[in-house]
Amino acid sequence: MRFSWRMAVVVVVVFFAFVALIAFGQGILGRPLVDGGLFSVGMALGLLAMGASIGATALYALRINRMEAEAQAGDQHSNNPASTNESESP
Amino acid sequence: MRVIICVFAFLAMHAGGAYAQTEGGAEAAGPLAITMFFAIILATLVITAWAARRTRSAHEFYAAGSSISGLQNGFAISGDFMSAGTFLGMTGLVYMAGFDVIIYVLAPMAGLAFILFLLAERLRSLGRFTFADVLSWRLEERPVRAFAAVGGLAVSLLYLIAQIVGAGTLVQILFGIPYAWSVIIVGGLMVVYVSFGGMLATTWVQITKAFLLVGGVVFMAIALLVYFKFDVAALYTAAAANHPLGADLFAPGGLYKDPLSAFSLAVALIFGMAGLPHILMRFFTVPNIYEARRSVFYATGIIGLVFILIFFLIAIGTIALVMNNPEFLGPDGVVRGGGNMVAIHLAGVLGGEILFGVMSAIAFATILAVVAGLTLASAATISHDLYANIFRKDRAAEREEVLVSRLAAFGVGVTAILLGIAFEGQNIIYLIALGFAIAASANFPVLLLSLYWPGLTTLGAVVGGGVGLVTSTAMVVTGPTVWVEVIGFSEPIFPYAYPAAFSLPLALATIFIVSKLDPAGRRDGPRDLRY
């Protein structure tokens, strides 16, 4: 499976898993994270899910941009300045 | 151009004068807020005048000549998504219902990531301007273009009316201007931005506003922490003590009647984002795919920062400091201006008249920028899809198409103003719910399959997308929000407020079955793109 599809599946699964917890796991999410505190397990998990979405975007953008920049640098090294990121790399 | 600016400046001043004579109550903004309000309008008009001199070709009008950098476009994408519904509406919703609003907070981050991974690359490599351009790249042009234009316009107009009604109410409350005048001022300004400045002005207005909104929200969060001497536990305790839900404020159960409602709303929010025309257009304003990827990364970061600060601090702060505060209660015992105003009241508590004025002006700029983006997307659909491609059968000169765009922006603006006045005082939440439901059920499945499924046929796309459009609309109209709350029947025909969990799979299945049963319509799959 391509990298982009794997990342998309991860983000969608994390999102709907969290929604399913809101729908069915209300007892778990409503519990305070620390005994006697007010900040709930649900708020902590929500924050984690948000971090995961932003992190996945960052990982994807940085990784694909670096890979394509390297592929292009390689192309230019082999005297083929016309090639772009859409062309087949050797 | 100058004449029109003068006319609107006159209208605005006239309305301001009317306020000074008739109002002056404590809830209206003081002279400082009025000054900020004019400073913001002036800044956006200067941007428009600058952009108008640089906008000639269709590519410049629709896509700002692809001249926007990744970071700038990241601000513009987040600006497009962060409407007045974000800062004001989301705060108001948490103020009322607490924890459950977290689905609204998480959905845009997950939705943007999904768009980046599966849609942005391919959309971008096609190098077109609208959703309809993408469909006609591989299917028979005229039927899919007509379908895409209807789907895109339906979503944009619903969203636009909701924003205009919200804007009218906000300006009315903030500045004491009569509702109809507020709507005319907001609608008039948005027409000026779009028809004269095109995408370049719209984008820069959006960037300016997103920058101001991020700054304002960060500043308010810090001011709130200073107010509570950096003791977050004290803030949360004060909120729980004030709210009728008590400690359950931080637990699920405040907003969704049943598990399916939560799930269906989640489907509409995450996939609906991919079907919003004014968000998709943003992938064409950057010079290349590298900048497009970086811009989505910046956008998720910016939206994440703002939404997290609003949900975890500012909204909790409104419950702790504005709720039950006699200073903000109207004669009927409800907070003045309703839930949408609690964030603005909090600004007053934290920073006095100065912060109140600044945040009011930022909220106003937010509305202006979002309605401008929506108007541009609608104008592009009318001129590019309906006029140039269908009505003139691709024989229109580019100058003619840009002229029609400018006229279309004017027409969309006038329509939005009239509908905005007609919808005065209506519950606007169902308009946004309907917009997202249509975007997720009609536009998104057709877009996704046209990019990834070689077996898709023109008939499948048009019939399946049409089924998504009709069923999602019918389910919202016969559901609790319209059938019961707006029309007044006692029982809804369709029991759930959010239809996307039903209408999206139905649309996907219809597209699949009709395409399979349509051997004559089979076309080659996507060829010029790698899988």
Side-chain angles (χ1 to χ4, degrees), chain B residues 94-356:
Chain B
V94 178
Y95 180 86
M96 181 190 83
F99 176 84
D100 276 1
V101 184
I102 202 164
I103 294 184
Y104 287 90
V105 181
L106 176 59
M109 295 171 227
L112 266 182
F114 182 84
I115 292 175
L116 171 65
F117 301 154
L118 294 188
L119 306 178
E121 305 262 325
R122 287 172 166 248
L123 283 173
R124 175 71 215 193
S125 18
L126 299 177
R128 309 287 165 82
F129 302 123
T130 63
F131 167 53
D133 278 337
V134 176
L135 295 190
S136 49
W137 153 67
R138 59 166 293 201
L139 299 170
E140 264 171 70
E141 184 162 4
R142 293 196 212 291
V144 291
R145 210 175 261 285
F147 159 74
V150 170
L153 274 181
V155 174
S156 296
L157 277 179
L158 284 167
Y159 219 76
L160 191 56
I161 297 168
Q163 295 291 332
I164 286 263
V165 173
T169 315
L170 179 78
V171 174
Q172 182 191 21
I173 293 167
L174 285 181
F175 302 102
I177 306 168
Y179 176 82
W181 277 108
S182 314
V183 168
I184 290 170
I185 291 171
V186 173
L189 282 168
M190 105 194 161
V191 170
V192 171
Y193 300 149
V194 175
S195 48
F196 290 99
M199 189 54 138
L200 193 59
T202 307
T203 302
W204 276 103
V205 167
Q206 201 62 270
I207 293 170
T208 311
K209 153 265 176 123
F211 199 76
L212 288 172
L213 184 61
V214 173
V217 165
V218 169
F219 185 84
M220 268 185 76
I222 294 171
L224 182 68
L225 287 175
V226 170
Y227 187 97
F228 280 92
K229 302 191 173 58
F230 293 93
D231 185 356
V232 181
L235 165 66
Y236 277 58
T237 309
N242 250 352
H243 201 281
L245 286 171
D248 284 343
L249 187 61
F250 309 108
L255 203 54
Y256 313 113
K257 294 189 189 79
D258 52 89
L260 206 55
S261 293
F263 177 70
S264 199
L265 172 71
V267 170
L269 288 179
I270 188 174
F271 297 125
M273 196 162 176
L276 295 179
H278 63 298
I279 301 277
L280 290 182
M281 273 183 99
R282 286 263 161 246
F283 294 112
F284 303 110
T285 54
V286 285
N288 54 49
I289 183 69
Y290 298 94
E291 295 294 319
R293 289 185 197 117
R294 289 179 57 204
S295 68
V296 180
F297 160 54
Y298 289 126
T300 33
I302 293 163
I303 292 177
L305 173 73
V306 170
F307 277 32
I308 287 170
L309 288 179
I310 289 178
F311 182 82
F312 289 94
L313 291 175
I314 292 174
I316 309 294
T318 62
I319 299 169
L321 297 177
V322 176
M323 191 173 274
N324 301 334
N325 186 338
E327 202 185 324
F328 302 110
L329 294 182
D332 49 356
V334 181
V335 68
R336 278 202 314 267
N340 285 338
M341 285 299 289
V342 293
I344 299 286
H345 289 319
L346 180 68
V349 175
L350 295 173
E353 204 211 329
I354 296 179
L355 193 59
F356 179 88

Side-chain angles (χ1 to χ4, degrees), chain B residues 430-443:
Chain B
Y430 71 89
L431 291 173
I432 297 193
L434 181 56
F436 263 88
I438 292 177
S441 317
N443 302 358

